[in-house]
Amino acid sequence: MAEEVSNKQVILKNYVTGYPKESDMEIKNVTIKLKVPEGSNDVVVKNLYLSCDPYMRSRMRKIEGSYVESFAPGSPITGYGVAKVLESGDPKFQKGDLVWGMTGWEEYSIITPTQTLFKIHDKDVPLSYYTGILGMPGMTAYAGFHEVCSPKKGETVFVSAASGAVGQLVGQFAKMLGCYVVGSAGSKEKVDLLKSKFGFDEAFNYKEEQDLSAALKRYFPDGIDIYFENVGGKMLDAVLVNMKLYGRIAVCGMISQYNLEQTEGVHNLFCLITKRIRMEGFLVFDYYHLYPKYLEMVIPQIKAGKVVYVEDVAHGLESAPTALVGLFSGRNIGKQVVMVSRE
Amino acid sequence: MAEEVSNKQVILKNYVTGYPKESDMEIKNVTIKLKVPEGSNDVVVKNLYLSCDPYMRSRMRKIEGSYVESFAPGSPITGYGVAKVLESGDPKFQKGDLVWGMTGWEEYSIITPTQTLFKIHDKDVPLSYYTGILGMPGMTAYAGFHEVCSPKKGETVFVSAASGAVGQLVGQFAKMLGCYVVGSAGSKEKVDLLKSKFGFDEAFNYKEEQDLSAALKRYFPDGIDIYFENVGGKMLDAVLVNMKLYGRIAVCGMISQYNLEQTEGVHNLFCLITKRIRMEGFLVFDYYHLYPKYLEMVIPQIKAGKVVYVEDVAHGLESAPTALVGLFSGRNIGKQVVMVSRE
């Protein structure tokens, strides 16, 4: 007889317009049978860490034909997380395994592992890292920088939203390769972190710059070889005029645009021609085959203290709506994680 | 004793704001000594055909740090042309040679051949073709399509400004490869030409479409693999939402924007991410090493009537200002050329 337990959930109440608010979500208590449905290959998990990621904003509206589906209003939010297997109908997973992948914003979930679900082998690092440096954002930074940007030693690299889950890693990977790296962020604290903790050569607070193009010219008098794009809008326009010939722009995200009903127009695309720039969008899903190679590279670097990762951990499922909403005002310092349970 | 002859010139009077007008230019009569300056490797030429190209608009304003220089107000306009060598200080060229490359908008020019100047070997084609299909626009179409778009047989291709000097060739090259090709242009006459003369599968008049995105969806129900971008602005926005996954956009020009004081903003760049699109600007200068290979391919095709080229030839240097200005209102049908002298 399966154990039935209470299960706290974070529910999206309705599709969201403009900036998401905490009141767009609610906490609900239900019960769940901790049992794999008869004949299925589902996996029953206890959620430990949940990941707050900017792409989740798009799932809060009615979308069609995109790479992700809308959240279902009235149902728990879903997203990346770290979880412990309680029971498994899938032979690839056993009770007691730790996994990361798509799960629900609730204490317990029943996952149909048709989506990416990775078994965690190395537990000698903080488990929460599998929502960040060792999970989707880490792979995003690695693939986006090494596979999309075609970086070379000595090149100049600009990263926006540079202290975020992805940006802080792009900066460190670029430094490891011998690039000159500058990051932008939205507070003095974040700017300090970029320089003192992540080893960026320079950093600036975009909110304090009247003229973003002039700011970039200050740090890149000879231009930018590589732009790792996380924000879009005005920053992209300022970057375009500061790119070098044959520059590359990896388009990872455009967080400044996600809550606008009408996105800002980008005016300087003619620079793509005059400077022969390649601008390329990418999604991490296309690069998961490189995940083992990435872990092999990054885990020793973490253990040697050569790559660091800053997380902003909110405690308890009840704090999840605040944590998620905070992403879009830049309240988080580093990767935003919600700890549901320590184990 | 060098012959001194009269030399008619087209002078740019001042930098231009907004749409260029004929009155921005004037015809001037000067005299010229048809003699290579002592000790120089200049080439004295008689100009036969002059090329009107959209990129020339940018040279009519004060520009800095671009791939081209501004025209000098008070001096003749310069541009691509076909000319006959009268005297040469450069051992690569002899009296009587036909050449194409950068020359002046005047009857006779003294060219310092540090810039691209090509000797014409095959004269068994219309000489004016060396301003078009066998010159810069031809190489632009060839390199832009084959080198930048990474085309594959069976892919869907959209070309804007499709009846222009470059567009008509991109469409034909794409058909030769076995692609499905649709073009847009600005009049019924041009649209008819696309289908009847250049073999586009479909074509439409963008001026008659209320909703460009809906028009594209009509012709590309499953999306666009390759967009050859000649116009920018609203068309680019409409294309972005109609691109297929892993689509490619070769950015060749943005003629709809050249006469605007404030360019239109492009709003749908987020599609670059969701569809993993590569958008790449290019300039023909980077591909001239492929010119011999291109000629080897295209000349037999021209002679066999398998590739055609439509030119709009204005007669006489006096007609050059009208011809150039007409480019920006789309008055020309096909490649705009000015015939200065038949030989």
mmCIF file of all heavy atoms in Angstrom, chain B residues 9-28:
data_model
loop_
_atom_site.group_PDB
_atom_site.id
_atom_site.type_symbol
_atom_site.label_atom_id
_atom_site.label_comp_id
_atom_site.label_asym_id
_atom_site.label_seq_id
_atom_site.Cartn_x
_atom_site.Cartn_y
_atom_site.Cartn_z
ATOM 1 N N GLN B 9 31.712 65.431 -65.753
ATOM 2 C CA GLN B 9 31.732 64.730 -64.450
ATOM 3 C C GLN B 9 30.379 64.853 -63.739
ATOM 4 O O GLN B 9 29.665 65.832 -63.950
ATOM 5 C CB GLN B 9 32.787 65.355 -63.536
ATOM 6 C CG GLN B 9 34.191 65.350 -64.092
ATOM 7 C CD GLN B 9 35.200 65.959 -63.118
ATOM 8 O OE1 GLN B 9 34.964 67.015 -62.541
ATOM 9 N NE2 GLN B 9 36.321 65.267 -62.948
ATOM 10 N N VAL B 10 30.095 63.870 -62.883
ATOM 11 C CA VAL B 10 28.945 63.981 -61.978
ATOM 12 C C VAL B 10 29.489 64.261 -60.586
ATOM 13 O O VAL B 10 30.182 63.430 -59.994
ATOM 14 C CB VAL B 10 28.089 62.698 -61.954
ATOM 15 C CG1 VAL B 10 26.921 62.873 -60.982
ATOM 16 C CG2 VAL B 10 27.601 62.347 -63.344
ATOM 17 N N ILE B 11 29.149 65.446 -60.084
ATOM 18 C CA ILE B 11 29.697 65.924 -58.813
ATOM 19 C C ILE B 11 28.645 65.774 -57.713
ATOM 20 O O ILE B 11 27.479 66.120 -57.919
ATOM 21 C CB ILE B 11 30.041 67.440 -58.936
ATOM 22 C CG1 ILE B 11 30.988 67.694 -60.125
ATOM 23 C CG2 ILE B 11 30.584 67.996 -57.628
ATOM 24 C CD1 ILE B 11 32.380 67.183 -59.951
ATOM 25 N N LEU B 12 29.064 65.270 -56.556
ATOM 26 C CA LEU B 12 28.174 65.343 -55.385
ATOM 27 C C LEU B 12 28.358 66.726 -54.772
ATOM 28 O O LEU B 12 29.473 67.106 -54.402
ATOM 29 C CB LEU B 12 28.542 64.262 -54.357
ATOM 30 C CG LEU B 12 27.643 64.260 -53.116
ATOM 31 C CD1 LEU B 12 26.268 63.688 -53.452
ATOM 32 C CD2 LEU B 12 28.273 63.499 -51.963
ATOM 33 N N LYS B 13 27.270 67.478 -54.665
ATOM 34 C CA LYS B 13 27.413 68.860 -54.202
ATOM 35 C C LYS B 13 27.662 68.925 -52.697
ATOM 36 O O LYS B 13 28.542 69.636 -52.233
ATOM 37 C CB LYS B 13 26.153 69.663 -54.580
ATOM 38 C CG LYS B 13 26.024 69.794 -56.108
ATOM 39 C CD LYS B 13 25.114 70.913 -56.558
ATOM 40 C CE LYS B 13 23.691 70.734 -56.140
ATOM 41 N NZ LYS B 13 22.725 71.511 -56.964
ATOM 42 N N ASN B 14 26.882 68.148 -51.941
ATOM 43 C CA ASN B 14 27.005 68.168 -50.483
ATOM 44 C C ASN B 14 26.574 66.829 -49.907
ATOM 45 O O ASN B 14 25.949 66.041 -50.591
ATOM 46 C CB ASN B 14 26.093 69.254 -49.887
ATOM 47 C CG ASN B 14 26.804 70.581 -49.808
ATOM 48 O OD1 ASN B 14 27.860 70.683 -49.193
ATOM 49 N ND2 ASN B 14 26.225 71.579 -50.470
ATOM 50 N N TYR B 15 26.873 66.612 -48.659
ATOM 51 C CA TYR B 15 26.349 65.415 -48.012
ATOM 52 C C TYR B 15 24.827 65.454 -48.048
ATOM 53 O O TYR B 15 24.218 66.522 -48.009
ATOM 54 C CB TYR B 15 26.833 65.313 -46.558
ATOM 55 C CG TYR B 15 28.317 65.049 -46.457
ATOM 56 C CD1 TYR B 15 29.133 65.825 -45.643
ATOM 57 C CD2 TYR B 15 28.899 64.006 -47.178
ATOM 58 C CE1 TYR B 15 30.492 65.580 -45.544
ATOM 59 C CE2 TYR B 15 30.266 63.756 -47.080
ATOM 60 C CZ TYR B 15 31.057 64.553 -46.267
ATOM 61 O OH TYR B 15 32.394 64.309 -46.178
ATOM 62 N N VAL B 16 24.245 64.272 -48.103
ATOM 63 C CA VAL B 16 22.810 64.155 -48.341
ATOM 64 C C VAL B 16 22.089 63.707 -47.066
ATOM 65 O O VAL B 16 22.582 62.849 -46.338
ATOM 66 C CB VAL B 16 22.557 63.129 -49.474
ATOM 67 C CG1 VAL B 16 21.075 62.855 -49.649
ATOM 68 C CG2 VAL B 16 23.182 63.614 -50.779
ATOM 69 N N THR B 17 20.936 64.296 -46.827
ATOM 70 C CA THR B 17 20.062 63.897 -45.716
ATOM 71 C C THR B 17 18.767 63.348 -46.321
ATOM 72 O O THR B 17 18.259 63.912 -47.287
ATOM 73 C CB THR B 17 19.725 65.126 -44.848
ATOM 74 O OG1 THR B 17 20.949 65.739 -44.466
ATOM 75 C CG2 THR B 17 18.960 64.729 -43.590
ATOM 76 N N GLY B 18 18.262 62.277 -45.757
ATOM 77 C CA GLY B 18 17.008 61.701 -46.274
ATOM 78 C C GLY B 18 17.205 61.096 -47.654
ATOM 79 O O GLY B 18 18.303 60.660 -47.997
ATOM 80 N N TYR B 19 16.152 61.056 -48.448
ATOM 81 C CA TYR B 19 16.253 60.483 -49.792
ATOM 82 C C TYR B 19 17.120 61.376 -50.677
ATOM 83 O O TYR B 19 16.917 62.586 -50.707
ATOM 84 C CB TYR B 19 14.858 60.340 -50.419
ATOM 85 C CG TYR B 19 14.173 59.074 -50.000
ATOM 86 C CD1 TYR B 19 13.561 58.981 -48.758
ATOM 87 C CD2 TYR B 19 14.180 57.953 -50.837
ATOM 88 C CE1 TYR B 19 12.952 57.803 -48.346
ATOM 89 C CE2 TYR B 19 13.567 56.784 -50.428
ATOM 90 C CZ TYR B 19 12.956 56.712 -49.189
ATOM 91 O OH TYR B 19 12.368 55.548 -48.790
ATOM 92 N N PRO B 20 18.083 60.783 -51.393
ATOM 93 C CA PRO B 20 18.890 61.616 -52.298
ATOM 94 C C PRO B 20 18.028 62.132 -53.444
ATOM 95 O O PRO B 20 17.086 61.476 -53.885
ATOM 96 C CB PRO B 20 19.974 60.656 -52.808
ATOM 97 C CG PRO B 20 19.561 59.288 -52.415
ATOM 98 C CD PRO B 20 18.490 59.375 -51.384
ATOM 99 N N LYS B 21 18.344 63.322 -53.889
ATOM 100 C CA LYS B 21 17.618 63.954 -54.998
ATOM 101 C C LYS B 21 18.613 64.223 -56.125
ATOM 102 O O LYS B 21 19.815 64.345 -55.880
ATOM 103 C CB LYS B 21 17.012 65.286 -54.542
ATOM 104 C CG LYS B 21 16.069 65.199 -53.347
ATOM 105 C CD LYS B 21 15.611 66.577 -52.850
ATOM 106 C CE LYS B 21 16.751 67.472 -52.407
ATOM 107 N NZ LYS B 21 17.522 66.972 -51.246
ATOM 108 N N GLU B 22 18.072 64.357 -57.325
ATOM 109 C CA GLU B 22 18.951 64.672 -58.447
ATOM 110 C C GLU B 22 19.719 65.959 -58.196
ATOM 111 O O GLU B 22 20.882 66.085 -58.577
ATOM 112 C CB GLU B 22 18.133 64.797 -59.731
ATOM 113 C CG GLU B 22 17.551 63.451 -60.156
ATOM 114 C CD GLU B 22 16.503 63.592 -61.228
ATOM 115 O OE1 GLU B 22 16.696 64.412 -62.132
ATOM 116 O OE2 GLU B 22 15.489 62.859 -61.154
ATOM 117 N N SER B 23 19.055 66.898 -57.503
ATOM 118 C CA SER B 23 19.701 68.190 -57.262
ATOM 119 C C SER B 23 20.848 68.103 -56.252
ATOM 120 O O SER B 23 21.563 69.073 -56.027
ATOM 121 C CB SER B 23 18.659 69.197 -56.787
ATOM 122 O OG SER B 23 18.066 68.734 -55.577
ATOM 123 N N ASP B 24 21.033 66.924 -55.640
ATOM 124 C CA ASP B 24 22.212 66.749 -54.785
ATOM 125 C C ASP B 24 23.480 66.589 -55.631
ATOM 126 O O ASP B 24 24.588 66.583 -55.113
ATOM 127 C CB ASP B 24 22.054 65.508 -53.885
ATOM 128 C CG ASP B 24 20.980 65.708 -52.823
ATOM 129 O OD1 ASP B 24 20.906 66.831 -52.271
ATOM 130 O OD2 ASP B 24 20.228 64.754 -52.551
ATOM 131 N N MET B 25 23.273 66.388 -56.928
ATOM 132 C CA MET B 25 24.418 66.216 -57.837
ATOM 133 C C MET B 25 24.357 67.271 -58.922
ATOM 134 O O MET B 25 23.315 67.862 -59.169
ATOM 135 C CB MET B 25 24.358 64.815 -58.463
ATOM 136 C CG MET B 25 24.600 63.716 -57.452
ATOM 137 S SD MET B 25 24.074 62.076 -58.035
ATOM 138 C CE MET B 25 22.419 61.970 -57.380
ATOM 139 N N GLU B 26 25.484 67.498 -59.574
ATOM 140 C CA GLU B 26 25.471 68.406 -60.733
ATOM 141 C C GLU B 26 26.462 67.899 -61.771
ATOM 142 O O GLU B 26 27.412 67.188 -61.458
ATOM 143 C CB GLU B 26 25.800 69.842 -60.319
ATOM 144 C CG GLU B 26 27.214 70.016 -59.802
ATOM 145 C CD GLU B 26 27.497 71.452 -59.338
ATOM 146 O OE1 GLU B 26 26.643 72.327 -59.553
ATOM 147 O OE2 GLU B 26 28.570 71.665 -58.749
ATOM 148 N N ILE B 27 26.213 68.261 -63.010
ATOM 149 C CA ILE B 27 27.116 67.898 -64.099
ATOM 150 C C ILE B 27 28.102 69.055 -64.290
ATOM 151 O O ILE B 27 27.691 70.218 -64.315
ATOM 152 C CB ILE B 27 26.339 67.663 -65.415
ATOM 153 C CG1 ILE B 27 25.196 66.668 -65.226
ATOM 154 C CG2 ILE B 27 27.287 67.223 -66.535
ATOM 155 C CD1 ILE B 27 25.607 65.245 -64.960
ATOM 156 N N LYS B 28 29.354 68.702 -64.402
ATOM 157 C CA LYS B 28 30.385 69.739 -64.517
ATOM 158 C C LYS B 28 31.283 69.385 -65.701
ATOM 159 O O LYS B 28 31.547 68.195 -65.946
ATOM 160 C CB LYS B 28 31.179 69.747 -63.213
ATOM 161 C CG LYS B 28 32.068 70.940 -62.991
ATOM 162 C CD LYS B 28 32.601 70.901 -61.561
ATOM 163 C CE LYS B 28 33.904 71.657 -61.440
ATOM 164 N NZ LYS B 28 34.454 71.522 -60.076
#
